[in-house]
Amino acid sequence: MNQIATDITYRKILRLAWPASVAASVTPLLGAVDVWALAQSSRPLDIAAVGLGSVIFSLAYWTFGFIRMSVAGLTAQAAGAEDESEARAVLIRGGLIGGVIGLCLTALQLPIGDFAFLLLGTGSEASAATLNAGREYFEIRIWGAPFALASYAAFGWLTARGRTDFLMIASVFMTVLNIILDYWFVVGLDWGAAGVASGTLIAEIAGFFVAASLVVIVLNDHGGIKCHWNLKDIRDPLRIKRTVAINFDIFVRTLLLAFSFAWFVQRGGAFGDVTLAANQVLLQLFLFTGLALDGTAIAAETLVGQAAGARNRSLAQERYHVAVRKTFILAGIAAVGFVVFYALAGDAIIALLTPEGSIRASTKAFMPWVIISPLIVVIGFQLDGIFIGATRSKEMRDSMIISTMIFIPVSLWLAGRFDNHGLWAAFSLYFLLRAATLAIWLPRIGRSFAT
């Protein structure tokens, strides 16, 4: 046990976690930069338009987040079993799935856009100008879908190979490029929501090629680009069947998660443009917190997946328990740190991101929900990492079904009684329900290592 504990050290977990945290948190950080850029322009209410348009991509991209998750879990298990051929086959399958889905989204952009904005406009007090600007945002950014979704496979594969540093490099590159383009298009050229979309489109395309280049470097470190490729493994019917089953479960799980975020944004629109814009600012901070905490969850994905693939089951079981315990401890410390940070710096952050006036005042009124959010989301995020590494997709799916079924009616009731505070309360309860349901099923994973 001492040897195992020494193998999975806090230093090793941090080496995996901190680059993954940076990589994960730069995505909502980009959303915050979008908000800042629009606040400096002559069209600050386009913040609400980007909120509406981006929720469609959250729904679409998060729905197909199963690509990254399944590739990460299956690759980690293949690496644990020292099966390089299967590790590469997982990469190819994931990349093909992502690229094809992205092409389909691009081809179907007109009916998708019509349907999405019909739903977003139903029961909303958002103005026609806001809805039109949101539609323009969608019509520009959709062209990056094939590149964004194919990148998911590369990101999951790099994570499973323990190269979270490469994951960070690709993500930071995309974000920095997007920030530069945001400033140019939005602040300089005053393109508003269209400028935000254009910057994101270019960054997603460039990011794909950077991620692909980093994958090539890792392939060179594991036998070379030309070695270990086996077409038979890529086409193996049993492995394809397993991949499809895992992907479908995580697809349902992630679709419901993305739908819940979309529902939150849409319900916020019922309180008008100002509240919708304030919720968009706070949602970026909420996502930044959760995804920054996701670093230890990604470390758990890698360590649990490698343990699940190991041939020595006794050793694998011990490694699993050490990985779970130590990643949870680090995640809890990080969550408390974020609570303290937001409590001390919340007003300064809001002042930086919002124009003075009604949007800033509304954002401050609901900031307490963001301050407590690290403690609310940390357990669910950490459990996600464990279940992904163990490829226990069925439990992830069922947990999300239960949580969403409760969240929708509760959000209607609480928002009806307490307005936007009620909506935030229901949203927080939703994340607690996800954690509770996964915790009930966690012992199944530990028992599976004994067989």
Side-chain angles (χ1 to χ4, degrees), residues 316-375:
Q317 187 177 39
E318 297 294 348
R319 289 180 62 84
Y320 163 76
H321 287 296
V322 172
V324 170
R325 185 179 72 254
K326 291 188 174 181
T327 54
F328 255 113
I329 289 172
L330 290 177
I333 293 171
V336 172
F338 268 103
V339 171
V340 173
F341 171 71
Y342 280 131
L344 296 176
D347 286 349
I349 294 171
I350 292 171
L352 177 66
L353 295 178
T354 60
E356 190 168 356
S358 58
I359 295 177
R360 182 177 296 179
S362 182
T363 304
K364 283 185 177 181
F366 303 110
M367 183 65 186
W369 293 106
V370 172
I371 294 175
I372 66 171
S373 66
L375 301 178

Side-chain angles (χ1 to χ4, degrees), residues 3-18:
Q3 181 181 359
I4 296 164
T6 301
D7 182 27
I8 303 180
T9 62
Y10 286 112
R11 177 176 293 182
K12 179 177 181 178
I13 294 171
L14 286 171
R15 190 168 63 247
L16 290 170
W18 80 262

Side-chain angles (χ1 to χ4, degrees), residues 127-377:
S127 64
T130 293
L131 290 170
N132 289 336
R135 181 63 185 259
E136 185 179 17
Y137 172 94
F138 167 80
E139 291 173 349
I140 294 171
R141 189 178 168 188
I142 190 64
W143 292 97
F147 300 94
L149 295 182
S151 296
Y152 281 9
F155 292 161
W157 195 81
L158 290 169
T159 297
R161 302 313 296 253
R163 296 311 303 261
T164 52
D165 55 338
F166 280 2
L167 177 66
M168 178 184 67
I169 289 170
S171 298
V172 170
F173 169 82
M174 291 174 61
T175 302
V176 170
L177 177 61
N178 208 337
I179 289 172
I180 293 171
L181 294 172
D182 261 4
Y183 187 83
W184 182 20
F185 294 152
V186 179
V187 179
L189 301 179
D190 202 27
W191 287 1
V196 172
S198 300
T200 304
L201 169 63
I202 295 170
E204 285 175 342
I205 295 172
F208 166 77
F209 288 104
V210 171
S213 300
L214 296 172
V215 165
V216 169
I217 294 174
V218 176
L219 291 174
N220 273 327
D221 291 340
H222 289 82
I225 299 175
K226 297 181 179 179
C227 297
H228 303 295
W229 296 107
N230 190 329
L231 187 59
K232 183 179 179 181
D233 286 343
I234 296 174
R235 299 185 305 184
D236 186 305
L238 292 178
R239 288 174 172 172
I240 291 175
K241 182 178 180 181
R242 185 189 181 204
T243 300
V244 170
I246 292 171
N247 280 338
F248 179 75
D249 288 337
I250 300 179
F251 166 77
V252 173
R253 171 259 183 199
T254 314
L255 175 64
L256 291 173
L257 176 61
F259 170 78
S260 297
F261 270 87
W263 175 265
F264 173 83
V265 173
Q266 199 275 344
R267 287 292 83 204
F271 306 115
D273 283 353
V274 171
T275 300
L276 181 60
N279 278 356
Q280 174 66 6
V281 175
L282 294 172
L283 193 58
Q284 299 311 314
L285 297 177
F286 187 93
L287 287 170
F288 173 78
T289 304
L291 295 179
L293 293 172
D294 204 29
T296 50
I298 290 175
E301 286 180 23
T302 302
L303 296 172
V304 170
Q306 290 173 354
R311 294 185 176 91
N312 185 328
R313 302 313 296 161
S314 176
L315 177 63
Q317 187 177 39
E318 297 294 348
R319 289 180 62 84
Y320 163 76
H321 287 296
V322 172
V324 170
R325 185 179 72 254
K326 291 188 174 181
T327 54
F328 255 113
I329 289 172
L330 290 177
I333 293 171
V336 172
F338 268 103
V339 171
V340 173
F341 171 71
Y342 280 131
L344 296 176
D347 286 349
I349 294 171
I350 292 171
L352 177 66
L353 295 178
T354 60
E356 190 168 356
S358 58
I359 295 177
R360 182 177 296 179
S362 182
T363 304
K364 283 185 177 181
F366 303 110
M367 183 65 186
W369 293 106
V370 172
I371 294 175
I372 66 171
S373 66
L375 301 178
I376 291 172
V377 304

